[in-house]
Amino acid sequence: MTTTARVFIDGQFRTADQVQPVIEAATGEPLGDGASATEADIDAAVAAARAALPGWRSTSPDHRAEILNAFAVALHQRARGTDELVTRENGMPMALSRGANGSFPAALLRYYAQLITETVIEEIRPSAIGHTIVRREPVGVVAAIVPWNYPQALAAFKLA
């Protein structure tokens, strides 16, 4: 299974300038190519995210939850193929991969979507000398490095 390695930046796929071979754990044979983002790719992704941030920041919690739930549905629909692919890449037993890389990421996104709608955006907390205002809001662009051993689950934790 060889496909063109792509990066996803600013809402569209682009052919990757740098690729890394992906080897099947069980056979040592080539499985495909993985995209490696270049510095220019990262700069473009950060610029796109920063441009979108004011819109995301002003998006209502209910709409943010809808977006996470839609993402959960998309991951759930791909779960069966994703768990197999991760097992082929890193050698994880299928029984473990079905949950960790198949069903769990979608469940985690749904959980955080629910938290978005249930968590108070701003609250006043008493302290010894007055009070503190705690306000939860998006603050900016972040980078997330996902380890190889539980890629889907750990990516979902970071994204959600």
Side-chain angles (χ1 to χ4, degrees), residues 64-76 103-116 152-153 155-160:
R64 288 185 199 156
E66 286 176 27
I67 292 167
L68 279 185
N69 278 317
F71 188 17
V73 168
L75 282 180
H76 180 74
S103 60
F104 179 73
L108 186 69
L109 288 170
R110 286 190 294 273
Y111 170 75
Y112 277 101
Q114 182 178 351
L115 280 183
I116 289 171
Q152 295 297 102
F157 270 116
K158 292 170 187 261
L159 294 171

Side-chain angles (χ1 to χ4, degrees), residues 1-56:
M1 173 176 124
T2 301
T3 59
T4 303
R6 303 178 299 167
V7 293
F8 189 76
I9 300 171
D10 198 16
Q12 57 188 311
F13 282 102
R14 304 174 186 184
T15 300
D17 291 329
Q18 290 183 6
V19 297
Q20 296 285 39
V22 177
I23 306 300
E24 185 158 356
T27 66
E29 298 295 319
L31 180 60
D33 291 321
S36 290
T38 63
E39 190 172 334
D41 292 331
I42 294 166
D43 290 343
V46 168
R50 283 192 174 138
L53 185 60
W56 183 251

Side-chain angles (χ1 to χ4, degrees), residues 55-142:
W56 183 251
R57 182 172 280 169
S58 62
T59 300
S60 73
D62 287 339
H63 188 62
R64 288 185 199 156
E66 286 176 27
I67 292 167
L68 279 185
N69 278 317
F71 188 17
V73 168
L75 282 180
H76 180 74
Q77 290 171 343
R78 293 169 177 82
R80 191 64 170 176
T82 302
D83 58 8
E84 279 185 37
L85 186 58
V86 171
T87 289
R88 291 179 68 192
E89 182 181 350
N90 72 11
M92 178 181 288
M94 274 302 297
L96 180 56
S97 193
R98 277 192 192 99
N101 299 299
S103 60
F104 179 73
L108 186 69
L109 288 170
R110 286 190 294 273
Y111 170 75
Y112 277 101
Q114 182 178 351
L115 280 183
I116 289 171
T117 61
E118 294 175 353
T119 302
V120 177
I121 294 173
E122 186 173 286
E123 62 183 289
I124 298 174
R125 294 182 182 174
S127 69
I129 57 171
H131 63 274
T132 301
I133 298 173
V134 176
R135 179 159 181 83
R136 295 166 183 87
E137 62 184 31
V139 294
V141 177
V142 299

